[in-house]
Amino acid sequence: MLPVNLEKRKDSGMFGDLRSGETRVIGKRTPRVDSIAKLTGEAIFVSDMAFAGMLFAQVKKSPHARARILRIDTRKAEALPGVRAILTGDELDYRVGLYMVDKYILAKGEVRHYGEAVAAVAADTTAIARQAVDLIHVEYEKLPPVLHPLDAIREDAPLVHPQLGNYDYIDTAFSPIPGTNICNHTKLRKGDIETAFKRSEWILEREYTNPSVQHVPMETHVAIVSWKHDDQVTIWSSAQSPFTLRNLFCMAFKLSHRKVRVIVPYVGGGFGGKAGIHIEPLVACLSRKAGGRPVKFTATREEEFSLLPCRSALTYRVKTGVSSDGKIIGQKMTMYWDSGAYADYAVNVTRASGYSAAGPYEIPNSWVDAYTIYTNKPFGTAYRGFGHVEFFWGIERHMDLVAHAIGMDSLDFRKKNALRPGSVTLTGEKIEEHTGNVLTCLKAAEKAVGYGRLTAGEKKREQRSGMKIGKAVVALHKAPAMPPFTATGVILKMNEDATVTANLSLTEIGQGTYTALAQIIAEHLRFPLHRIKISQETDTDRDPYDWQTVASKGLLLTGNAALLAAQDLLRKSYELASQILRAQPVDLDHDKDKVFILHNPEASVTFREMAVGYAFPDGRSIGGPLIGIGSYIAQGLTHLDKETGQGLPALDWTYGAHGIIVEVDEHTGEYNILKVASVFDVGKVINPDAVRGQAIGGMLQGLGTAICEGYIYDQEGHLLNPSFTDNKIPTARDLPLEVESMVVETPQLDGPYGARGVGEHSMIAVAAALGNAIQQACGAELTHMPIRFEDVWRSLGKKEPIDNWITKSPFGSCKSAPEIRKNRPVQ
Amino acid sequence: MVRITVRVNGKEYTREVVESRTLLHFLREDLSLTGTKEGCGAGECGACTVILDGQAVNSCLILAAETDGSTIETIEGEAKNGKLSRMQEAFHNHHAVQCGFCTPGMIMTIKDLLRRKPKPSRDEIIDGIEGNFCRCTGYEQIIEAVLDVTGQLGKKEGLRHVR
Ligand code: FES
Ligand code: FES
């Protein structure tokens, strides 16, 4: 229902006014609503919390990738003073799982990956708990692990989950194949692939790989749980998804949702790794065993790498058929996703990447087989980009290789095949004018890096440095990967002083959505921004439902719920004012302070007077606290047909492009990134600095993936580099010499003020841009990620690439070259 | 156990500590100054940076017992009388904070840098904060905040709209 009279005002459409462009707060530079607490050290993260009687947990972890657990002896640990609870898998019979219920809280009978939890202790101090864990003796019988997904799908491969056929799973979305290591097979069939290949002038088939990668939120996973009498459970967690966590927790323990409360205060980064459910059930069981005392578990950085999940590795095979005029007419895409030991999010990463697998291009005949494959490695989960960072390495490298093969400029090839109004996506969705504009993004990136030529300054730089400069432009897209029924709610409470407090349970993990939501609410209410507060801590007992804080869907879904709540608040204010002013609601208007009669503004009543109920001069009162409620659910999405993959999975598509300039030393393989220019069609900028922060932060995270990050295993499945010394992430030195951020604004018709999400997109396709520019500069043809200097060198010397991700002896480094950086480019 | 007396943000504390306690845990757990964060506990990430006797250090690598008689500055002492410092102000204005977990350590590192070099160049800022990981921001807005506070920002490009 529209608010009583607002439809006749210009800023009042359901999604805000998309046309007038006149906004007070939307699109304006404004600081974040949460930065002061973080800047003063006053923001309380779960890692900062302590409660009376709190115990500290430690976990005993498997040193093997695959082994039978023969015996666990906890007697010595039990005898240690200060130990309050010890748990082993034997006494716990609960399985958890987001899409596939396949994981015991503690390993039972068998360990499936290096670093898996086999026993846990809660004690008075961390030191005692650590000592107790050391005193627990586990006897294993080592079994041969299966480490590579392509080995794991061989007939004779050992099964990571022989019980796969008995597991519960979400069958509307996933298709496990019992008796194999394939826990999901996503299929997509569009058109007639065989005929298309027959008609093709050129066909090119290649394979691209990425290793597993760690999210590295600066705050590791942490939870405090107390399990009191009558199963009253309270969980404080660094989780991204309080309601999904509660739901999965209740399912695992068969508890009523009303008994379990999840509280999420400030969170020190998530990037997908803190979505779903992780350590909370184990910590809860320790608390229950310790008589309900609160138990705290803080993962060490090393545990973050192997006890907690990572991003799945991918092997991606693409076969493309192109017509004589450079149009792609058929493409077969096969993805082998390395799930690791448990399915967690990897099955859904597989599904989401399956239906986006071609990138923002129109492929009339396409065929996708995407497999999620169990192996004996730490398991994969959601990570910013949700599969797209990984497969875009393949698809955008592939676009360049195909273009080279057919003798076409790769950017022209992209433009020729890019999605445009009227195009049909892999799942059969028709692209409209308002879906967003890939071509504009490509052109902006092209211009920003001067694609296709070198400036005089760049030529001079080449001469001076003896290095070769290469440029590339890549395109990207992503839609939120979520169930079709994804929903959220917002409650707005008017305070006595006409400020407004918003309750919602989308979490603020650094992405900045709370600031954008405050702007949306302020804009719609016509209130100054400082009168809006988004309650920072989320609490499932007090806040309305939100599915999860993932998928770049928060701004659109919660933004719409916030708009609806603001409308509801105004409608109720108008109803109350109409009684006070004896006027019909349709004759009222409001400003930041009061509701008044449109043609007689003198007759007014302030929001302050109405905020918690209006009292007439004689004391009689009407109204009551003004509370606005907004609920929103994703509109028009469908399940995908399991055989053909056809349907409507995408809430919105955010398109983008990166342009990059790189210089490469042809002899050593060393390179420097001179510039990255990124552009995204965000629909509408709500907060320019926040968009830029996401654009640059994500781009550098994408460069981390591109230049150095990745899990290295030995051949027995031990993780060799679970630390920042051996698994580097970008520092300030890795920032390209020049960074540029641009936006296109093609309004999303059902987005708040036309906005769509952009949290993940900046990370996507950065690696491919780098690979393409390196090839353009020096000819190195790279198909494995990351791209370390020696990988370029090997490729130049036509030496075999080292697949050192399962290795006998690890190579590789991640090096910055500040001395070259100081030599700023002359453009 | 050893007895130590330290001056933290101008306030004196005397405590008994076990020899193995790090300065980081001493600050966070014994003094409840939780503004300083732990990102790795191994000297690799810089989240735990505090200023010890005028020098930025990774407090996870220092034993509290070694700091007897020292003067320590932490993030809690940065805002004075309810007013943000200029550096905090600049971080606020430039969105140099996202999740905020690296922020306290980052601010302390920069404070130390600016004492040694009141007008660091862009490259000197980069070298100065190189030991502080930030997974969220990509560092650019942090660098801009420092350039701004030292009067060197000039006209900022910002986000460009294209059609
Ligand atoms: S916690 Fe001290 S350097 Fe990471
Ligand atoms: S703001 Fe999150 S790590 Fe720096």
Side-chain angles (χ1 to χ4, degrees):
Chain A
M1 180 173 50
L2 278 170
V4 235
N5 72 329
L6 294 185
E7 60 267 40
K8 68 182 191 191
R9 312 265 182 264
K10 68 175 166 41
D11 59 341
S12 58
M14 153 66 212
F15 302 109
D17 185 33
L18 305 183
R19 282 156 302 271
S20 85
E22 292 164 32
T23 49
R24 284 178 311 107
V25 225
I26 298 287
K28 301 291 184 303
R29 286 198 63 191
T30 173
R32 292 174 62 108
V33 294
D34 57 347
S35 51
I36 291 179
K38 292 170 176 177
L39 278 160
T40 52
E42 286 167 355
I44 298 292
F45 297 77
V46 180
S47 38
D48 302 327
M49 294 177 142
F51 295 101
M54 191 170 85
L55 303 174
F56 298 86
Q58 287 288 307
V59 172
K60 179 93 178 170
K61 293 167 296 271
S62 168
H64 307 301
R66 180 163 174 253
R68 202 160 288 136
I69 302 171
L70 300 179
R71 217 164 56 85
I72 305 182
D73 185 348
T74 58
R75 281 170 302 182
K76 280 191 191 149
E78 276 158 35
L80 194 68
V83 169
R84 306 293 167 185
I86 298 183
L87 284 174
T88 64
D90 281 350
E91 57 188 294
L92 297 177
D93 212 5
Y94 308 105
R95 269 207 309 255
V96 284
L98 187 65
Y99 296 116
M100 177 93 40
V101 187
D102 63 357
K103 188 177 191 302
Y104 284 114
I105 292 174
L106 280 173
K108 249 174 130 61
E110 186 173 331
V111 288
R112 295 188 170 84
H113 69 84
Y114 170 82
E116 179 163 19
V118 288
V121 176
D124 290 350
T125 66
T126 302
I128 298 172
R130 212 168 268 152
Q131 207 186 336
V133 158
D134 288 343
L135 291 172
I136 295 174
H137 182 73
V138 188
E139 233 173 87
Y140 295 99
E141 179 195 333
K142 268 173 63 176
L143 298 169
V146 54
L147 298 178
H148 199 288
L150 294 184
D151 293 335
I153 51 174
R154 286 161 46 160
E155 291 242 326
D156 56 346
L159 294 183
V160 180
H161 288 269
Q163 301 300 318
L164 177 57
N166 302 334
Y167 294 161
D168 288 336
Y169 67 99
I170 309 282
D171 67 350
T172 45
F174 305 109
S175 309
I177 307 179
T180 72
N181 282 317
I182 297 171
C183 54
N184 173 47
H185 177 193
T186 292
K187 291 187 212 171
L188 190 139
R189 313 286 183 248
K190 177 187 168 197
D192 178 351
I193 188 75
E194 290 314 323
T195 313
F197 282 142
K198 272 188 214 127
R199 277 176 32 229
S200 295
E201 179 91 7
W202 292 282
I203 290 180
L204 188 83
E205 182 170 10
R206 298 302 292 270
E207 189 178 286
Y208 308 87
T209 64
N210 329 233
S212 294
V213 168
Q214 167 53 220
H215 310 72
V216 190
M218 288 318 297
E219 177 198 40
T220 60
H221 286 68
V222 50
I224 303 172
V225 184
S226 91
W227 190 318
K228 302 280 192 212
H229 286 112
D230 189 32
D231 294 328
Q232 300 289 335
V233 183
T234 310
I235 303 171
W236 292 264
S237 176
S238 61
Q240 287 179 225
S241 318
F243 274 92
T244 290
L245 166 54
R246 186 183 72 166
N247 191 38
L248 295 171
F249 189 94
C250 291
M251 276 160 57
F253 293 104
K254 303 201 171 27
L255 291 177
S256 161
H257 290 71
R258 84 194 145 83
K259 295 207 171 186
V260 178
R261 177 179 178 194
V262 178
I263 301 170
V264 178
Y266 287 89
V267 179
F271 312 113
K274 293 174 178 170
I277 188 165
H278 294 297
I279 50 174
E280 297 85 359
L282 176 58
V283 185
C285 290
L286 284 169
S287 170
R288 185 174 58 180
K289 192 153 184 199
R293 287 174 70 170
V295 176
K296 182 176 190 175
F297 176 77
T298 313
T300 62
R301 186 53 67 183
E302 185 175 346
E303 285 168 332
E304 199 70 10
F305 277 88
S306 56
L307 172 69
L308 288 148
C310 58
R311 185 174 84 196
S312 293
L314 169 68
T315 301
Y316 187 16
R317 209 170 278 159
V318 193
K319 179 178 174 185
T320 305
V322 188
S323 70
S324 51
D325 63 346
K327 281 286 274 182
I328 300 176
I329 49 178
Q331 192 158 279
K332 199 165 193 173
M333 297 153 271
T334 316
M335 298 174 152
Y336 302 96
W337 286 98
D338 185 350
S339 183
Y342 299 100
D344 199 75
Y345 271 100
V347 285
N348 203 29
V349 166
T350 304
R351 178 177 170 273
S353 52
Y355 64 68
S356 316
Y361 304 107
E362 182 164 33
I363 320 283
N365 303 287
S366 32
W367 178 291
V368 179
D369 283 308
Y371 302 95
T372 327
I373 302 164
Y374 284 134
T375 59
N376 289 114
K377 300 213 293 269
F379 58 103
T381 190
Y383 185 161
R384 193 178 200 172
F386 210 66
H388 291 58
V389 172
E390 302 90 299
F391 81 73
F392 262 92
W393 159 246
I395 204 70
E396 280 300 83
R397 279 292 291 133
H398 192 72
M399 288 299 282
D400 259 42
L401 294 187
V402 174
H404 295 164
I406 69 174
M408 199 168 163
D409 172 76
S410 65
L411 183 55
D412 290 341
F413 182 56
R414 284 185 171 82
K415 287 179 184 165
K416 182 151 202 144
N417 289 287
L419 291 171
R420 37 174 59 77
S423 300
V424 177
T425 66
L426 292 190
T427 70
E429 178 188 349
K430 190 151 145 259
I431 297 299
E432 308 281 356
E433 206 68 66
H434 54 79
T435 311
N437 201 321
V438 198
L439 282 170
T440 312
C441 293
L442 278 171
K443 287 176 194 158
E446 173 183 12
K447 203 160 153 222
V449 296
Y451 177 83
R453 63 192 165 82
L454 295 187
T455 63
E458 285 164 346
K459 284 183 193 147
K460 214 182 280 162
R461 187 182 173 99
E462 275 194 336
Q463 280 164 7
R464 231 181 20 225
S465 65
M467 295 172 99
K468 285 271 177 287
I469 291 180
K471 301 185 180 185
V473 172
V474 296
L476 61 102
H477 72 174
K478 185 183 178 294
M482 56 188 211
F485 42 81
T486 299
T488 189
V490 171
I491 295 173
L492 296 181
K493 302 179 295 193
M494 181 94 68
N495 301 312
E496 291 86 332
D497 59 352
T499 59
V500 171
T501 303
N503 287 119
L504 48 97
S505 64
L506 187 86
T507 54
E508 174 59 80
I509 56 176
Q511 80 279 37
T513 319
Y514 281 14
T515 307
L517 290 172
Q519 288 176 268
I520 288 168
I521 294 164
E523 185 75 43
H524 196 82
L525 292 178
R526 304 180 195 159
F527 283 11
L529 185 58
H530 67 82
R531 275 181 25 208
I532 313 297
K533 175 186 180 182
I534 313 286
S535 169
Q536 173 68 39
E537 189 176 86
T538 56
D539 178 340
T540 55
D541 268 11
R542 298 199 175 133
D543 294 321
Y545 174 85
D546 179 82
W547 174 60
Q548 304 208 56
T549 307
V550 294
S552 307
K553 58 83 177 154
L555 181 61
L556 197 152
L557 292 183
T558 308
N560 281 345
L563 272 180
L564 287 167
Q567 289 180 6
D568 191 42
L569 190 65
L570 287 178
R571 187 177 57 79
K572 287 169 174 162
S573 307
Y574 275 42
E575 270 169 12
L576 183 55
S578 81
Q579 295 177 54
I580 299 163
L581 301 173
R582 302 191 194 187
Q584 302 181 86
V586 74
D587 285 320
L588 301 178
D589 198 351
H590 77 281
D591 61 21
K592 68 180 177 30
D593 298 314
K594 55 191 182 303
V595 180
F596 54 87
I597 297 176
L598 194 54
H599 56 275
N600 177 20
E602 238 79 303
S604 67
V605 54
T606 63
F607 285 108
R608 274 173 189 259
E609 290 170 298
M610 297 189 292
V612 293
Y614 180 80
F616 287 99
D618 68 356
R620 271 180 279 200
S621 305
I622 54 172
L626 285 173
I627 299 171
I629 298 172
S631 290
Y632 191 74
I633 190 160
Q635 203 282 317
L637 306 187
T638 67
H639 294 304
L640 300 180
D641 183 280
K642 279 196 165 185
E643 287 308 312
T644 65
Q646 299 301 293
L648 281 179
L651 180 71
D652 59 333
W653 288 102
T654 304
Y655 297 118
H658 297 285
I660 192 168
I661 310 178
V662 180
E663 61 182 1
V664 190
D665 185 320
E666 295 172 284
H667 305 292
T668 64
E670 289 167 292
Y671 61 83
N672 297 296
I673 301 165
L674 304 181
K675 176 166 182 174
V676 176
S678 308
V679 51
F680 307 99
D681 191 342
V682 299
K684 171 78 188 171
V685 173
I686 306 288
N687 185 316
D689 291 324
V691 170
R692 189 158 165 265
Q694 289 306 298
I696 299 175
M699 181 276 294
L700 194 66
Q701 208 170 101
L703 272 186
T705 276
I707 64 180
C708 59
E709 293 179 42
Y711 280 29
I712 302 175
Y713 294 93
D714 70 11
Q715 293 187 317
E716 300 203 313
H718 302 118
L719 180 61
L720 299 178
N721 59 340
S723 74
F724 290 143
T725 303
D726 299 319
N727 192 324
K728 309 233 182 271
I729 66 163
T731 72
R733 284 188 169 174
D734 297 300
L735 199 55
L737 273 179
E738 196 184 341
V739 172
E740 189 173 350
S741 306
M742 295 168 283
V743 284
V744 177
E745 292 186 322
T746 311
Q748 176 74 24
L749 295 187
D750 57 354
Y753 292 94
R756 54 177 82 88
V758 71
E760 300 165 286
H761 304 79
S762 47
M763 192 170 172
I764 300 169
V766 175
L770 177 64
N772 293 346
I774 289 176
Q775 178 163 15
Q776 208 253 323
C778 70
E781 197 173 303
L782 299 149
T783 52
H784 300 278
M785 207 169 72
I787 309 164
R788 295 154 307 175
F789 294 161
E790 60 265 47
D791 297 321
V792 180
W793 174 77
R794 275 178 184 276
S795 166
L796 283 168
K798 297 279 176 288
K799 299 176 184 69
E800 273 299 288
I802 33 166
D803 183 9
N804 80 12
W805 310 103
I806 299 168
T807 186
K808 277 190 186 131
S809 54
F811 298 88
S813 67
C814 165
K815 219 168 85 187
S816 306
E819 58 292 338
I820 300 175
R821 195 192 57 236
K822 280 173 190 149
N823 206 352
R824 296 195 65 84
V826 236
Q827 294 236 346
Chain B
M1 288 288 219
V2 283
R3 193 183 182 76
I4 60 167
T5 299
V6 290
R7 179 171 278 276
V8 184
N9 304 326
K11 216 175 140 207
E12 202 167 278
Y13 298 85
T14 300
R15 295 284 189 282
E16 299 272 322
V17 294
V18 283
E19 286 79 351
S20 60
R21 199 151 189 75
T22 61
L23 176 58
L24 173 62
H25 290 165
F26 172 72
L27 290 168
R28 286 178 52 81
E29 288 161 32
D30 297 349
L31 304 188
S32 297
L33 294 170
T34 55
T36 306
K37 304 299 180 202
E38 175 163 1
C40 68
E44 294 168 328
C45 76
C48 63
T49 307
V50 300
I51 300 180
L52 174 67
D53 292 328
Q55 212 190 341
V57 295
N58 288 332
S59 62
C60 69
L61 291 183
I62 306 249
L63 294 177
E66 300 174 274
T67 64
D68 186 30
S70 295
T71 300
I72 297 161
E73 296 161 73
T74 71
I75 190 66
E76 285 88 350
E78 185 66 7
K80 297 253 162 35
N81 309 319
K83 232 176 105 34
L84 298 184
S85 70
R86 288 182 58 231
M87 197 65 239
Q88 287 171 316
E89 204 57 72
F91 264 57
H92 181 58
N93 291 333
H94 288 277
H95 283 231
V97 181
Q98 288 188 20
C99 80
F101 207 77
C102 72
T103 311
M106 196 64 91
I107 296 258
M108 297 322 279
T109 295
I110 293 166
K111 185 173 185 169
D112 174 61
L113 171 70
L114 294 189
R115 275 186 194 155
R116 287 181 287 111
K117 268 196 191 96
K119 241 187 203 319
S121 67
R122 186 182 164 90
D123 286 330
E124 286 168 338
I125 297 167
I126 286 177
D127 290 345
I129 62 171
E130 182 248 0
N132 290 70
F133 289 173
C134 174
R135 190 59 154 171
C136 300
T137 64
Y139 307 101
E140 181 64 27
Q141 285 156 312
I142 296 176
I143 297 167
E144 285 165 9
V146 183
L147 288 172
D148 191 11
V149 130
T150 53
Q152 309 180 86
L153 187 58
K155 205 182 142 311
K156 179 170 153 175
E157 252 282 354
L159 188 69
R160 204 150 67 73
H161 285 68
V162 289
R163 265 180 240 271

